[in-house]
Each structure stands twice: as structure tokens, then as C-alpha cells.
Amino acid sequence: MSLNKTDKERVKAFWSKVAGKADAIGAESLARLIVVYPQTKTYFAHWKDVSPNSPNVTKHGKTVMGGVANAVDKIDDLKGGLLELSELHAFTLRVDPANFKLLTHCILVVLAAQFPADFTPEVHVAMDKFLAAVARALAEKYR
Amino acid sequence: MVVWSEQERSIINSIFASLDYDDIGPKALCRCLIVYPWTQRYFGGFGNLYNAEAIKTNPMIAAHGIKVLHGLDRAVKNMDNIKATYAELSVMHSEKLHIDPDNFKLLADCLTIVIAAKMGTAFTADIQAAFQKFLSVVVNALGRQYH
């Protein structure tokens, strides 16, 4: 289920429409992850305030979405382009890769809610494939 | 036994009370067939599913989407007993339709996204959590009678 030419074109085209709101999308996605899948809070035990609108969550959502934006740029070689990030997730953060799927779902929900007209089924499948490919690249160094 | 808070019940009832089945049903099923193309395996007799456009304009798919969405009505009316309510439907999906129960989650995810698109910012994280909890109970009940 790798990205073909059409997928990449669709991802880049859609991303150019939403990139301006990336920070807000990131914050919203992370907030939803924590509310809808409370078990993900275990990764943020070091924050006193893990509520959805807390400054930590907002800031971290921005960081994560920045990673996604970077991945769009590296779409032709995600494994190579995300190598360092993979090492970070594998050796330092050690986030169970199952959680990548949960965050992907939350990102897609936010995109649908904020860009209903643009988030067509065709864009949806391209973005889903892309985020799955990003997740795979991030999990590359785990074992 | 699933425990529902008053808020969760209210959220679920509210979503379904204002639901446009004729619009959301077809959209959810189409999205599932497009985003997860392997689900098309269950629709061999439904005519042209050759590409996204064909799926979106296929009247048989649209009608089926509405039917499937109405299938959730009984769960909404029997939230405290979804498992028993869907026992027969579960048997049917297993014995007659032979649907891999993993597919139920795929359709549930597409439905969530279609509702999110419809409700926009009104589809808050709390509402998403309640809706997904409801759908996961339904998905679980539908998969229960498989053996």
C-alpha cells in the first residue's frame, strides 16, 4: 500500500490548502487523541496539566504537525527523510506504534471537520495512505 | 456491561435525532468503499464500482448506505442492551453475508469522519469520544456471534 504518483499529488495539493492552519490542526488533533483515547495520556505523565486546551498540549500539537509538514516535503523518501525522527521515537520516546494509528484517525477527523468541502473521499484515501506511510517510517528503527 | 453517562446518552440521541440518513448513509458507505477498496469485495452484485466517481453515483450503493445507517437505530433505542439487540444481526453478518468483522471498524471510522465533516467545529472532542464509544459497542456486538 505504497504511495503512487496520484496519492503524492493529492497530498501536496491538499497540504498547500491546509498548511496555514497546521498549528491549530496539530493542537486539535492531539487534544482529541487525549480525550478520545485516554490511554495515550500515559505518554504525558510528566506534564502537570494534560487537559485538552492546556499550553503543553497546544505546543506539542504544533510540534507534531510540524513533523507532518516536514514529511510532506520528504514524501519521495520518507524512510530516509524521517530517519532521525524514527530514532527519536524508537530509542528515546518509545511510543508504541499502535498509537500512530490513533493519532492519524484524530488528524483525519480534524481535517474533515475543518475542511469538509476539500476533504473528499479521494483526498481522504491519499491522506490516510500518507499518514500510514509516515507511521511506518517512524517505526522503522524500533527493532 | 456498558455504562453510559447522561451526557453520552444525550450526545448519541442528539446526533441521531438530527441525522439526515439519506445524505450521511450514502456518504459513509461510499467513503468506506473508496478509502478501503478491499471492502468492495462484498458488493459484487452492486454494479459499477470501477472508480470513485462510479461509486459516488451508484444508486444501489446509496440505497444500501441508507439501509445500513438505519440499522443503527435499534442500538440508539436500546443503548443498555446493544449486545442482545444485535445478536441476530451478528449471526446474519457471519453466516449469510460472511463479512470479516474487521470491516465494521472501517465503516465506523468513515461514519465518524462524515459526521465530523457535517458538524464541523460542533463535533467536539467529547462528542467524538461518545460517538466512537457508541460505534465501538455496536461493532463489538456485530462481531460477537461469529464462530
Side-chain angles (χ1 to χ4, degrees):
Chain A
M1 292 202 269
S2 49
L3 298 171
N4 59 38
K5 189 158 153 280
T6 311
D7 293 325
K8 293 183 190 178
E9 280 166 11
R10 286 207 175 117
V11 168
K12 286 193 217 172
F14 181 68
W15 189 255
S16 68
K17 286 189 191 152
V18 313
K21 286 197 166 162
D23 291 352
I25 294 170
E28 175 82 27
S29 302
L30 193 62
R32 276 175 199 269
L33 181 73
I34 286 172
V35 170
V36 179
Y37 306 104
Q39 69 271 24
T40 56
K41 279 195 287 194
T42 54
Y43 291 100
F44 304 108
H46 55 287
W47 291 346
K48 237 199 218 123
D49 186 3
V50 207
S51 63
N53 295 311
S54 67
N56 279 326
V57 171
T58 304
K59 179 161 167 273
H60 195 64
K62 191 173 152 187
T63 304
V64 169
M65 218 57 195
V68 173
N70 177 38
V72 175
D73 260 344
K74 308 264 162 67
I75 203 168
D76 289 315
D77 178 22
L78 286 172
K79 240 196 269 187
L82 299 183
L83 189 64
E84 269 180 49
L85 264 180
S86 179
E87 287 175 344
L88 176 72
H89 283 74
F91 305 129
T92 310
L93 303 177
R94 289 181 287 198
V95 175
D96 189 320
N99 294 289
F100 299 154
K101 269 207 192 119
L102 305 183
L103 180 59
T104 290
H105 175 69
C106 290
I107 291 174
L108 296 177
V109 168
V110 172
L111 292 175
Q114 297 198 8
F115 304 93
D118 294 302
F119 196 64
T120 61
E122 293 92 322
V123 167
H124 178 167
V125 60
M127 284 304 296
D128 194 21
K129 284 177 78 175
F130 168 65
L131 291 171
V134 170
R136 276 198 303 277
L138 278 180
E140 183 65 27
K141 292 306 214 176
Y142 271 62
R143 57 175 175 175
Chain B
M1 232 214 66
V2 187
V3 179
W4 301 99
S5 70
E6 276 317 305
Q7 197 204 17
E8 285 169 336
R9 288 179 200 274
S10 156
I11 286 171
I12 299 305
N13 281 305
S14 161
I15 290 179
F16 279 87
S18 54
L19 197 57
D20 181 354
Y21 288 77
D22 293 347
D23 175 47
I24 300 294
K27 279 190 176 142
L29 185 57
C30 283
R31 202 165 271 257
C32 189
L33 295 172
I34 293 169
V35 177
Y36 308 109
W38 53 93
T39 56
Q40 291 169 27
R41 74 189 305 284
Y42 302 110
F43 296 90
F46 278 66
N48 185 5
L49 301 181
Y50 192 61
N51 52 35
E53 261 321 294
I55 293 171
K56 284 192 242 186
T57 51
N58 184 318
M60 286 175 80
I61 293 293
H64 197 71
I66 300 172
K67 183 174 174 192
V68 167
L69 194 55
H70 274 295
L72 292 176
D73 291 344
R74 274 195 299 154
V76 179
K77 293 201 179 75
N78 295 287
M79 277 176 73
D80 290 310
N81 205 1
I82 293 178
K83 212 178 355 180
T85 303
Y86 280 152
E88 258 181 66
L89 257 184
S90 177
V91 171
M92 185 193 89
H93 280 72
S94 164
E95 310 281 297
K96 185 161 164 267
L97 303 177
H98 306 292
I99 298 182
D100 182 343
D102 283 346
N103 291 285
F104 301 149
K105 186 176 184 301
L106 302 181
L107 181 57
D109 283 349
C110 285
L111 180 58
T112 302
I113 282 174
V114 169
I115 299 270
K118 185 71 176 283
M119 290 177 66
T121 43
F123 193 64
T124 62
D126 285 335
I127 292 181
Q128 181 185 346
F131 191 62
Q132 287 193 204
K133 178 176 168 178
F134 172 74
L135 289 180
S136 72
V137 173
V138 169
V139 163
N140 196 274
L142 275 179
R144 263 198 123 243
Q145 304 303 325
Y146 280 64
H147 64 90

